[in-house]
Amino acid sequence: MKDGLFIVKNMKKERYPIDNILQMLREVDIFDISEVDTAVLEANGKLTAFKKAEKCAVTRNDLGISIQVPAISYPVIIEGRIERRPWKN
């Protein structure tokens, strides 16, 4: 596929029915072929599909939202004793 259109000549050459391609697109969460920029049938039989840029999901990075990295949890009670600084030996 290119720009949301099937390349029929290539599909006939590979003998792949449209129904199979549509199913494979649904498996990668593409339900509307107009969202596809490029799709390639790989040698192993899997389909690799890239959505058009305007159809891709927005990420936090796209919006300039920083993410807070979670801290590591430490045990505060070890063998029945309260550890005031469990991160230091």
Side-chain angles (χ1 to χ4, degrees):
M1 293 185 75
K2 182 67 178 152
D3 295 324
L5 300 172
F6 290 105
I7 303 173
V8 178
K9 178 180 84 172
N10 292 354
M11 290 177 62
K12 283 182 181 180
K13 187 170 96 177
E14 294 299 322
R15 296 184 179 156
Y16 241 78
I18 290 176
D19 291 343
N20 286 18
I21 301 295
L22 293 174
Q23 176 188 355
M24 295 167 91
L25 286 170
R26 289 191 299 272
E27 289 172 358
V28 292
D29 295 326
I30 298 175
F31 296 90
D32 182 357
I33 62 171
S34 67
E35 293 180 0
V36 177
D37 179 51
T38 305
V40 177
L41 185 60
E42 303 290 352
N44 64 3
K46 293 191 177 194
L47 185 75
T48 301
F50 296 99
K51 287 185 177 184
K52 292 180 179 176
E54 63 271 10
K55 298 294 183 176
C56 292
V58 177
T59 65
R60 291 180 184 171
N61 192 33
D62 293 335
L63 299 175
I65 300 172
S66 62
I67 54 174
Q68 213 171 11
V69 179
I72 298 174
S73 299
Y74 295 99
V76 292
I77 300 176
I78 299 174
E79 295 181 8
R81 292 183 319 184
I82 297 174
E83 295 290 328
R84 302 281 179 207
R85 294 182 176 185
W87 55 90
K88 290 192 175 188
N89 291 336

